[in-house]
Amino acid sequence: MTEVEAKKPQESLQDRLAQVVELLHKQKLVEDLAHRQEGHHRDLVEHLVHRQNLAELQRKLDELHSADVAHILEALPLEDRLTIWQLVKAERDGDILLEVSDAVRETLLADMEDHEILAAAMEMDADELADLASELPRDIVHELMETLDAQQRERVRSALSYEEEQVGALMDFEMVTIREDVSLEVVLRYLRRLKELPGHTDKLFVVDHEGVLKGVLPVKRLLVNDPEKIVREVMATDPVSFHPDEDAYDAAQAFERYDLISAPVVDKNDKLIGRLTIDEMVDLIREESESEVLNMAGLREEEDIFASVWKSLRNRWAWLAINLITAFMASRVIGLFEGSIEKLVALAALMPIVAGIGGNSGNQTITMIVRAMALDQVSTGNTSRLLRKELAVSLINGLVWGGVIGLVAWVLYDSYSLGIVMTAAMTLNLLLAALMGVLIPMTLARMGRDPALGASVMITAVTDSGGFFIFLGLASVFLI
Amino acid sequence: MTEVEAKKPQESLQDRLAQVVELLHKQKLVEDLAHRQEGHHRDLVEHLVHRQNLAELQRKLDELHSADVAHILEALPLEDRLTIWQLVKAERDGDILLEVSDAVRETLLADMEDHEILAAAMEMDADELADLASELPRDIVHELMETLDAQQRERVRSALSYEEEQVGALMDFEMVTIREDVSLEVVLRYLRRLKELPGHTDKLFVVDHEGVLKGVLPVKRLLVNDPEKIVREVMATDPVSFHPDEDAYDAAQAFERYDLISAPVVDKNDKLIGRLTIDEMVDLIREESESEVLNMAGLREEEDIFASVWKSLRNRWAWLAINLITAFMASRVIGLFEGSIEKLVALAALMPIVAGIGGNSGNQTITMIVRAMALDQVSTGNTSRLLRKELAVSLINGLVWGGVIGLVAWVLYDSYSLGIVMTAAMTLNLLLAALMGVLIPMTLARMGRDPALGASVMITAVTDSGGFFIFLGLASVFLI
């Protein structure tokens, strides 16, 4: 997509959002007026006012960077969102569609005519098309492919042939390639002939006549070295490069670790086939951490916060249902001990403490582990070591906090034996929490699943049922 | 710090980590051997083998990029970590200290002699020094300041004068500045004289003789335009720029939104005082999302997963204690209804379901809201709208899932009235969860606190106590 030099935003995003909303409402007011009133004259006035407001809104939007318009669209309820979307200049549709979140894009595409979508898509690069293809109507994608030249079509196909989380799906094809046997002077003249360089060009790719990557020429070196020098003398040989089937998130971490801005993507024969750029990687890092947060809370996907109630329900039901089952199991555990509870009703009041603290402590452990795994700091290898540490932490927490609550129970119900059972149960449940807090994510990882997936729901299930069983069990044995 | 062109890692990080660990253990074995054995001859042999292993390890480490060494240090338990740290070439100490997480850096600094720390710090730039200053021993910082020239000292001071989360604390000072009235040819010659350009130089800063920012000259434009042209004709006027007292995270979002690589930092008179680069921003985005995850789980800070048990306890106690209090409150709520429970013990078994589902649903809501707030998509303005939606979702969830569990309760305890109470309680508690799930983060934000802070602990507290009260309350009124 053609690159726009970002202009300094005059006001904060929040301010701009507020202004747009205000204009929107002014305009709605006028519309309502129009509906309630008759008479050609009034109509005319209303018409003018209305037009004027729209024009003002239009002007505001035209001033904004596409990314800002995208942000505003995301922050508006559906109805207002579409009003704004209608006002956006057609030639910016493509840019903006690429900026908004999937959830919001869906609502925008649903509001567009096929020919509008087609027009927007026409302006996109091969890799951008590939990103969107899955969300576009089948027939439109076909029509699009027709319009593309062979090379473009080939690129779209190849990009589509990779999984979403593979490097191949994120690479673009806007690379400047040079030969290693020319002088920097020649390179500089070549660049001038190009008129424009692709975004994030911090290095030129040095390839031989078969397109095999020989090295990269950082623009920095191009600028500081004597133009008489030959590319070969100045270029960096064996730079960080990636394969299209590598995991994109690993690539993102490499970008972060080595402070890369762009990097070559090569096939198994070292042939240059594309490049990765930091902007894609930043988005990926952001998405990864988001999905981690969402997964732990048991949400299926990022949710457009103004999504319909129905959409939200679909997004949340899966885990709620699972949670319902686990909660029911916990309830049955208690059912086993109804006899004891009837005899000593204090148990009913104290058991949620044991379960609750266990859940909280377990969530702390599992959060730590999931984070560390996401950062590649723990492999399933050092499980046992982590386990020892977490168990030690839990033991101390159990004895200390369990002791405190045990004393309270003793005083409250005037039974030291009840206090001791309480302390014992707390300690055991915290140990269980630590055990599962380490094992759940490790096991998910071993199974090749996302270690964060519903972690919080699962750990809570264990600490609830476990906590009730341990506490009521001990009580039945020693108190009843 | 001098920039190293990242070399293509030969193996995956995990592999390299494994190799280093293996070498470490080989060497330990030999040491143990040495302790158990006597005799000059054996000693000599051991000595040689030992030396050889260390040498091999040393070689491995020297091949690695500082960022990779940092990663390996983070992934090793303290003892092994320090062994490796000793082997790292002194001149790389600085680079590596800057790469590791705060928690790990602490352990490394603790292991260094003052003169070693001083030597490492001497190689750092002003902004890097400022980052570390807070963690270095007081007297060393003083000694350092002495060694700096006036300008450097001034820069460190200014960087130190800003809060950690302000732009001023993250900006560096390695800017290439040019005048607007010279030709691109002159600029190119000037750059060649510099011999080296600072990292992430994607644009040159155009300033007047007072150092006021007039615009930026993207390197891309410098390369594609006719050298005869004057900077003024080619430069981009009013680029995205930042003030040192702006919120760094807002800056990071701007970098993400406008795909920036570097951006100028100016004072209130538009005087250029520093620049921000994408690498700092990426780290910030990463940290932000981490602290969000940790905060929601009620962890104080990022924890070195191999931290001592004692450190971990300190990190986790605060929220555990709060959770203990809230759990105790919930327990007292149940205490109020012990009479009812004695009469109908089924209540004890069913009440955790009401509380549990409420907690799960509340956590989903609060996670959504916190995310949306972090992305600036919701202001405290559209609270009411979000509230309506979340309440609608909860109402449906309550009636559906509450209905299901109500039926189960009916069948299980053969009392339809108990089933109805169950359904009603579930619905009410889910509505409570939605209400608080929206209000808690919004209120924290209004109070200028992090909306994620302990969100999960708080929402669970409400849904527990609330759930027990609603369910047992309804039961006491209608069933007892």
Side-chain angles (χ1 to χ4, degrees):
Chain A
M1 205 108 241
T2 61
E3 232 201 345
V4 194
E5 278 294 329
K7 286 241 176 301
K8 166 87 180 148
Q10 293 313 315
E11 325 88 345
S12 85
L13 267 174
Q14 287 302 325
D15 301 347
R16 276 174 288 168
L17 188 51
Q19 293 174 0
V20 172
V21 172
E22 192 204 319
L23 284 166
L24 262 171
H25 292 161
K26 252 203 228 152
Q27 180 215 329
K28 282 226 202 65
L29 231 70
V30 182
E31 276 166 355
D32 303 347
L33 212 72
H35 293 135
R36 270 185 271 88
Q37 297 177 333
E38 290 312 317
H40 174 268
H41 178 62
R42 287 216 172 134
D43 258 10
L44 193 66
V45 176
E46 176 277 318
H47 188 60
L48 292 172
V49 184
H50 183 173
R51 289 249 320 273
Q52 185 211 350
N53 278 323
L54 277 184
E56 189 177 346
L57 194 48
Q58 181 97 60
R59 219 173 305 113
K60 263 252 157 295
L61 290 171
D62 295 347
E63 289 168 8
L64 293 176
H65 187 282
S66 299
D68 293 333
V69 178
H71 176 270
I72 288 176
L73 289 170
E74 284 180 334
L76 285 176
L78 188 57
E79 172 195 350
D80 295 350
R81 183 184 297 158
L82 295 183
T83 319
I84 297 287
W85 185 228
Q86 296 302 349
L87 291 178
V88 172
K89 284 224 164 55
E91 62 265 25
R92 297 179 67 187
D93 285 1
D95 284 307
I96 294 167
L97 282 174
L98 289 167
E99 294 278 359
V100 293
S101 71
D102 299 1
V104 171
R105 187 182 303 123
E106 207 180 302
T107 66
L108 298 181
L109 286 171
D111 185 58
M112 293 171 79
E113 302 290 334
D114 283 7
H115 69 85
E116 290 177 310
I117 299 179
L118 198 57
M122 293 266 217
E123 299 168 22
M124 298 182 185
D125 297 329
D127 58 307
E128 296 169 331
L129 272 180
D131 293 347
L132 251 58
S134 59
E135 299 165 50
L136 297 176
R138 272 247 148 286
D139 49 341
I140 291 193
V141 176
H142 282 302
E143 213 170 323
L144 265 170
M145 292 303 250
E146 297 313 309
T147 66
L148 298 174
D149 61 55
Q151 187 199 36
Q152 285 291 319
R153 202 176 305 129
E154 193 24 63
R155 288 172 167 180
V156 176
R157 287 239 173 73
S158 84
L160 284 173
S161 69
Y162 295 103
E163 299 299 325
E164 205 185 320
E165 64 281 357
Q166 282 183 313
V167 164
L170 290 179
M171 66 184 179
D172 66 52
F173 306 95
E174 309 171 16
M175 310 157 284
V176 181
T177 59
I178 55 174
R179 294 258 182 276
E180 62 181 333
D181 52 10
V182 299
S183 71
L184 300 187
E185 182 55 48
V186 173
V187 174
L188 287 168
R189 264 191 273 110
Y190 169 62
L191 293 181
R192 278 182 207 120
R193 274 209 306 285
L194 288 180
K195 292 274 170 300
E196 227 220 329
L197 295 185
H200 299 92
T201 300
D202 70 318
K203 50 176 69 81
L204 310 176
F205 302 108
V206 184
V207 296
D208 65 16
H209 52 287
E210 266 110 21
V212 173
L213 183 72
K214 312 302 278 182
V216 297
L217 176 62
V219 168
K220 284 165 49 184
R221 297 195 188 179
L222 173 62
L223 288 172
V224 296
N225 279 283
D226 172 357
E228 300 310 310
K229 286 206 180 136
I230 303 300
V231 169
R232 190 185 298 101
E233 312 167 47
V234 184
M235 70 182 186
T237 53
D238 97 78
V240 180
S241 64
F242 300 93
H243 292 292
D245 48 12
E246 268 182 83
D247 177 64
Y249 188 61
D250 293 346
Q253 287 187 313
F255 265 73
E256 204 178 339
R257 189 169 294 123
Y258 307 126
D259 294 338
L260 301 174
I261 291 170
S262 75
V265 179
V266 297
D267 65 16
K268 49 210 81 48
N269 311 324
D270 274 341
K271 218 156 158 301
L272 179 70
I273 54 177
R275 65 161 195 168
L276 289 177
T277 54
I278 182 71
D279 53 334
E280 290 283 353
M281 297 297 114
V282 172
D283 296 347
L284 195 64
I285 290 170
R286 160 86 66 191
E287 281 161 24
E288 270 295 316
S289 58
E290 276 178 19
S291 68
E292 185 185 322
V293 179
L294 297 177
N295 281 340
M296 290 198 66
L299 291 159
R300 277 232 325 296
E301 59 192 11
E302 188 178 1
E303 186 176 309
D304 163 11
I305 52 160
F306 294 110
S308 67
V309 170
W310 172 235
K311 267 212 169 60
S312 311
L313 285 171
R314 281 218 319 273
N315 187 25
R316 304 182 195 185
W317 266 4
W319 279 107
L320 267 185
I322 293 173
N323 187 238
L324 196 70
I325 296 164
T326 62
F328 182 71
M329 278 158 39
S331 155
R332 294 326 301 149
V333 171
I334 300 172
L336 299 175
F337 298 95
E338 280 177 355
S340 317
I341 295 175
E342 253 166 342
K343 294 201 194 65
L344 180 55
V345 72
L347 300 180
L350 293 175
M351 64 188 185
I353 301 181
V354 179
I357 306 293
N360 181 256
S361 170
N363 268 302
Q364 289 183 333
T365 302
I366 211 165
T367 306
M368 291 299 315
I369 304 290
V370 168
R371 293 254 80 254
M373 294 182 93
L375 299 176
D376 268 331
Q377 283 174 8
V378 289
S379 53
T380 47
N382 31 28
T383 313
S384 66
R385 180 180 196 102
L386 283 169
L387 208 46
R388 278 201 301 283
K389 176 196 158 192
E390 290 300 328
L391 288 175
V393 173
S394 291
L395 184 64
I396 300 176
N397 277 333
L399 294 174
V400 173
W401 298 120
V404 172
I405 209 73
L407 278 174
V408 176
W410 177 2
V411 173
L412 213 57
Y413 295 96
D414 180 30
S415 148
Y416 70 92
S417 50
L418 180 58
I420 293 168
V421 167
M422 189 74 189
T423 307
M426 285 264 294
T427 311
L428 289 173
N429 198 33
L430 285 182
L431 289 172
L432 176 66
L435 183 69
M436 300 314 285
V438 175
L439 291 188
I440 288 176
M442 293 281 185
T443 316
L444 283 171
R446 274 224 183 74
M447 291 161 47
R449 312 293 304 279
D450 175 351
L453 194 62
S456 156
V457 174
M458 282 194 252
I459 191 77
T460 311
V462 175
T463 50
D464 278 357
S465 297
F468 293 139
F469 183 80
I470 293 168
F471 177 62
L472 296 175
L474 289 175
S476 311
V477 175
F478 296 105
L479 304 181
I480 309 302
Chain B
M1 205 106 244
T2 60
E3 230 201 346
V4 194
E5 276 295 327
K7 284 242 178 299
K8 167 82 179 152
Q10 292 313 316
E11 324 89 346
S12 86
L13 266 175
Q14 288 302 325
D15 301 347
R16 276 173 287 169
L17 188 50
Q19 292 173 3
V20 171
V21 172
E22 192 204 318
L23 284 167
L24 261 172
H25 292 160
K26 252 202 231 155
Q27 179 216 331
K28 280 224 205 67
L29 231 68
V30 181
E31 276 166 355
D32 302 347
L33 213 70
H35 293 135
R36 269 186 271 88
Q37 298 175 332
E38 289 313 317
H40 175 269
H41 177 61
R42 289 219 171 131
D43 256 13
L44 193 66
V45 176
E46 176 277 320
H47 189 59
L48 292 172
V49 183
H50 184 174
R51 290 253 316 276
Q52 186 210 351
N53 279 321
L54 278 183
E56 189 177 347
L57 193 49
Q58 180 98 57
R59 219 173 306 114
K60 264 253 158 292
L61 290 171
D62 295 347
E63 289 167 6
L64 293 176
H65 187 283
S66 299
D68 294 332
V69 178
H71 176 270
I72 287 176
L73 289 171
E74 285 179 335
L76 286 175
L78 187 57
E79 171 196 351
D80 295 351
R81 183 184 298 158
L82 295 184
T83 319
I84 297 287
W85 185 229
Q86 296 301 349
L87 290 177
V88 172
K89 285 223 164 53
E91 61 266 26
R92 296 178 70 186
D93 284 1
D95 283 309
I96 294 168
L97 281 175
L98 289 166
E99 294 277 359
V100 294
S101 71
D102 300 0
V104 171
R105 187 182 302 121
E106 209 178 302
T107 64
L108 298 181
L109 286 172
D111 185 58
M112 292 171 79
E113 303 289 335
D114 284 8
H115 68 85
E116 291 176 312
I117 299 179
L118 198 57
M122 293 264 219
E123 300 167 22
M124 298 182 187
D125 298 330
D127 58 307
E128 296 169 331
L129 271 180
D131 293 347
L132 252 58
S134 58
E135 298 165 50
L136 298 175
R138 272 247 148 287
D139 49 341
I140 292 192
V141 177
H142 281 303
E143 213 170 323
L144 264 168
M145 292 303 253
E146 298 312 310
T147 66
L148 297 174
D149 61 55
Q151 189 200 35
Q152 285 291 321
R153 203 176 304 130
E154 192 25 62
R155 287 173 167 180
V156 176
R157 287 238 174 74
S158 85
L160 284 173
S161 68
Y162 295 103
E163 301 298 324
E164 206 185 319
E165 64 280 357
Q166 282 184 312
V167 164
L170 291 179
M171 65 185 179
D172 67 53
F173 306 94
E174 310 169 18
M175 311 157 282
V176 180
T177 59
I178 54 173
R179 293 260 181 276
E180 61 181 334
D181 52 10
V182 299
S183 72
L184 300 187
E185 183 56 47
V186 173
V187 173
L188 287 168
R189 264 191 273 109
Y190 169 63
L191 294 181
R192 275 177 211 126
R193 271 210 266 32
L194 289 182
K195 292 274 171 296
E196 228 222 328
L197 295 185
H200 298 94
T201 299
D202 70 318
K203 48 175 71 81
L204 310 175
F205 302 106
V206 184
V207 295
D208 65 15
H209 52 285
E210 266 110 22
V212 173
L213 183 73
K214 310 303 278 182
V216 297
L217 176 62
V219 168
K220 284 166 49 184
R221 297 195 189 180
L222 172 62
L223 288 172
V224 297
N225 279 284
D226 172 357
E228 300 311 309
K229 286 209 179 132
I230 302 302
V231 169
R232 190 186 297 101
E233 312 168 49
V234 184
M235 72 183 186
T237 52
D238 94 72
V240 180
S241 64
F242 301 93
H243 293 291
D245 48 11
E246 267 181 83
D247 177 62
Y249 189 59
D250 293 346
Q253 288 186 313
F255 264 72
E256 205 178 338
R257 188 168 293 123
Y258 306 126
D259 295 338
L260 301 175
I261 290 169
S262 75
V265 179
V266 297
D267 65 14
K268 49 210 81 45
N269 312 324
D270 274 341
K271 218 158 157 301
L272 179 69
I273 54 177
R275 65 161 194 167
L276 289 177
T277 53
I278 182 70
D279 54 332
E280 290 283 353
M281 297 297 113
V282 171
D283 295 347
L284 195 64
I285 290 170
R286 162 85 66 191
E287 281 162 24
E288 270 294 317
S289 57
E290 277 178 18
S291 69
E292 184 184 319
V293 179
L294 298 177
N295 281 339
M296 292 197 63
L299 290 160
R300 277 226 331 294
E301 59 191 10
E302 188 177 0
E303 188 175 305
D304 164 11
I305 53 159
F306 295 110
S308 68
V309 169
W310 171 235
K311 266 215 169 65
S312 310
L313 285 170
R314 282 219 319 273
N315 188 25
R316 305 181 194 186
W317 265 6
W319 280 106
L320 266 185
I322 294 174
N323 187 239
L324 196 70
I325 296 165
T326 62
F328 182 71
M329 279 160 38
S331 155
R332 294 324 301 146
V333 171
I334 300 172
L336 299 175
F337 298 96
E338 279 177 357
S340 318
I341 295 176
E342 255 166 341
K343 293 200 196 64
L344 180 56
V345 72
L347 299 181
L350 292 175
M351 64 188 185
I353 301 180
V354 179
I357 305 294
N360 181 257
S361 169
N363 268 302
Q364 289 182 333
T365 303
I366 210 164
T367 305
M368 292 298 315
I369 305 289
V370 168
R371 293 255 80 254
M373 293 182 94
L375 299 175
D376 266 334
Q377 282 174 8
V378 288
S379 53
T380 48
N382 31 27
T383 313
S384 66
R385 179 178 198 103
L386 282 169
L387 209 45
R388 278 201 302 283
K389 176 195 156 192
E390 290 300 327
L391 288 174
V393 173
S394 292
L395 185 63
I396 299 176
N397 276 334
L399 294 174
V400 174
W401 298 120
V404 171
I405 208 73
L407 279 173
V408 176
W410 177 2
V411 174
L412 214 57
Y413 296 95
D414 180 30
S415 147
Y416 71 91
S417 51
L418 179 58
I420 293 169
V421 166
M422 189 72 190
T423 307
M426 286 264 294
T427 311
L428 290 174
N429 198 33
L430 285 182
L431 290 172
L432 176 66
L435 184 68
M436 301 313 284
V438 175
L439 291 188
I440 288 176
M442 293 280 185
T443 316
L444 282 170
R446 275 223 181 74
M447 290 160 47
R449 312 291 303 279
D450 175 352
L453 195 62
S456 158
V457 175
M458 284 194 249
I459 192 76
T460 311
V462 174
T463 50
D464 278 357
S465 298
F468 293 138
F469 183 82
I470 293 170
F471 176 61
L472 296 175
L474 288 175
S476 311
V477 174
F478 295 106
L479 304 180
I480 308 302

